[in-house]
Amino acid sequence: SRERRAQSLFELTRDLSAALQSSQVAELGEAAVQRNFGGQARVLMTDASDQLVVPASAALLDFDASVADWAFRNEQAAGLATATLSAQSWHYVPLKAPMRVRGVLALKPAQPHWLLIPEQQQQLDTLARQIAIALERVHYVEVAQEAVVQIESEKLRNMLLAAISHDVRTPLTALIGLADTLERSGPPLSDAQAQSVRAICSEARQLSALVNNLLDMARLQSGAVNLKSDWQSVEEIVGSAIRQAQHALAGKPVKTALPADLPLVEFDAVLMERVLVNLLENAAKYGGPADAPIEVSAHVTAQSLVITVRDHGPGLPVALAGREYTLFDKFTRGAAESSTPGVGLGLAICKAVVDAHRGQISAGNAPGGGAEFTLSLPRRAPPQELPETA
């Protein structure tokens, strides 16, 4: 008898080692349990949300799904030959793997009294343990495969974005330059011609900004960008960002509240300028009327520099309440269907740059209306004497 039990365990372990899918593990486990105990056996597995899945055919087998769920939730055997709901005709054993419970093994043996024999109960527990370990192994194999596919897909997408961005940026720059030249030189243009030239410039700049965002996102995610941190003046970076965003602001006023005693802070000036430009452009798009100002403020604490960009528009959509962090995901916009141009990369770039500086960025509705974006960068006290640059 002991030899038969050992042989049965060996065969199940051998078969499970070759299983590559959860359904295969369930079929092999059911067959092994039925060979040992006769009757009927079912392996119930969990879904992606860690809920026990009961097959529709179970209703035809005098099967109680609530008892199976109880055994799964409490990680204890229930039903036949147990102290819990012993009047049941089925015996339910939780499939305990090293990390978590992976499901329930349900058995309706040919001879119910077999479960009262210690050796048989031990055999059933061992079979359940082998099935649980196999389910967990298959689960992590699937997770690893999905991760590999995602990594390769991300690499391919970044390569394509970088290649396309490089090839498109050059003709776009030439197009903007030619349109500016056409507007400023040569014979005077009619009103209709001048309007068409301005529209060409505007659309080309928007497309150029989109291409730059795609290229920046690809470079940031590929790890090709190294921070060139140095001690910087916050006032100069804010002023430079406002000048760079003039075309996107289109005359929209920008108010700054920067204390005169702001200390120097160590960060990458080019990347942080890009963050502020993206935030200003975002505020210009969604900040309400043309005369509604954009406010940029900054202050320091003992450990951080805090910069806030606020607009006076309608604020963040109600649907994003409690999920404001999703705005910083790639290709995500506050309103999926919107006439405002953009593909949802500006804020993702902001987050990538701030994360590279080991900082934090958040979004929310400001008191009194409007949206407010706050970034926080870690800081330390500047040296007493900064080294002179050549």
Side-chain angles (χ1 to χ4, degrees):
S1 179
R2 285 195 297 268
E3 182 180 357
R4 285 196 301 270
R5 289 197 294 269
Q7 180 66 21
S8 177
L9 290 174
F10 168 75
E11 292 175 355
L12 177 61
T13 303
R14 180 195 60 198
D15 295 340
L16 290 178
S17 65
L20 298 177
Q21 296 180 348
S22 300
S23 58
Q24 293 176 327
V25 173
E27 291 175 4
L28 292 171
E30 291 172 358
V33 173
Q34 289 178 174
R35 282 197 303 269
N36 279 263
F37 294 91
Q40 303 175 43
R42 291 292 182 273
V43 173
L44 311 181
M45 297 177 292
T46 56
D47 57 15
S49 58
D50 203 28
Q51 300 293 321
L52 191 66
V53 178
V54 179
S57 60
L60 305 176
L61 303 173
D62 190 23
F63 188 91
D64 195 330
S66 62
V67 181
D69 189 68
W70 185 95
F72 173 74
R73 297 297 175 190
N74 292 274
E75 301 184 15
Q76 296 179 18
L80 179 67
T82 69
T84 304
L85 301 172
S86 58
Q88 293 284 322
S89 59
W90 286 75
H91 181 76
Y92 303 89
V93 182
L95 297 175
K96 296 182 182 179
M99 296 299 296
R100 66 177 65 180
V101 178
R102 294 292 170 181
V104 171
L105 171 61
L107 169 64
K108 187 176 183 180
Q111 301 292 334
H113 67 273
W114 284 357
L115 296 179
L116 301 177
I117 302 173
E119 289 82 359
Q120 296 289 358
Q121 183 63 53
Q122 183 179 12
Q123 178 78 350
L124 180 61
D125 292 341
T126 305
L127 291 172
R129 179 74 172 180
Q130 293 294 328
I131 296 170
I133 292 174
L135 286 173
E136 186 158 277
R137 175 183 60 80
V138 170
H139 168 75
Y140 283 115
V141 168
E142 294 173 352
V143 170
Q145 290 175 340
E146 291 177 1
V148 169
V149 171
Q150 289 179 357
I151 291 172
E152 293 301 323
S153 299
E154 194 71 16
K155 285 182 179 179
L156 179 60
R157 182 169 64 177
N158 289 340
M159 290 172 60
L160 288 173
L161 289 179
I164 293 173
S165 299
H166 278 296
D167 292 340
V168 172
R169 189 163 55 172
T170 300
L172 274 177
T173 303
L175 180 61
I176 294 173
L178 290 172
D180 284 338
T181 302
L182 179 62
E183 184 178 15
R184 298 176 182 177
S185 62
L189 301 175
S190 65
D191 292 341
Q193 291 174 330
Q195 185 176 1
S196 297
V197 170
R198 286 193 294 270
I200 291 173
C201 287
S202 175
E203 296 298 327
R205 286 194 177 95
Q206 289 183 13
L207 186 56
S208 179
L210 171 60
V211 169
N212 287 334
N213 281 341
L214 290 171
L215 182 59
D216 288 346
M217 194 74 248
R219 293 172 60 193
L220 286 168
Q221 289 197 324
S222 66
V225 177
N226 296 321
L227 293 182
K228 298 178 180 178
S229 297
D230 201 354
W231 295 99
Q232 307 291 344
S233 167
V234 178
E235 295 93 333
E236 291 182 4
I237 296 299
V238 171
S240 178
I242 293 174
R243 287 192 296 273
Q244 281 203 29
Q246 280 183 351
H247 288 291
L249 292 173
K252 200 175 185 67
V254 179
K255 296 181 179 180
T256 58
L258 307 175
D261 59 348
L262 270 179
L264 298 178
V265 181
E266 194 176 18
F267 54 77
D268 188 310
V270 175
L271 292 179
M272 289 309 302
E273 185 177 283
R274 185 66 180 164
V275 169
L276 292 177
V277 169
N278 284 352
L279 291 178
L280 288 170
E281 290 178 350
N282 187 77
K285 288 180 182 179
Y286 304 100
D291 58 346
I294 299 172
E295 299 177 4
V296 181
S297 60
H299 68 274
V300 294
T301 65
Q303 291 82 27
S304 61
L305 163 70
V306 180
I307 301 177
T308 301
V309 178
R310 175 189 174 179
D311 61 51
H312 289 269
L316 302 181
V318 178
L320 289 177
R323 299 188 303 109
E324 292 85 357
Y325 59 89
T326 59
L327 284 173
F328 300 99
D329 294 339
K330 289 181 297 183
F331 305 106
T332 298
R333 307 182 66 192
E337 300 294 335
S338 173
S339 59
T340 305
V343 295
L345 274 179
L347 294 180
I349 291 174
C350 293
K351 178 170 174 50
V353 172
V354 173
D355 287 346
H357 284 82
R358 300 187 305 279
Q360 295 180 339
I361 186 169
S362 60
N365 287 318
E372 184 176 70
F373 292 84
T374 304
L375 63 94
S376 174
L377 300 179
R379 64 173 290 265
R380 57 190 177 95
Q384 295 299 323
E385 294 185 1
L386 295 176
E388 295 184 1
T389 57

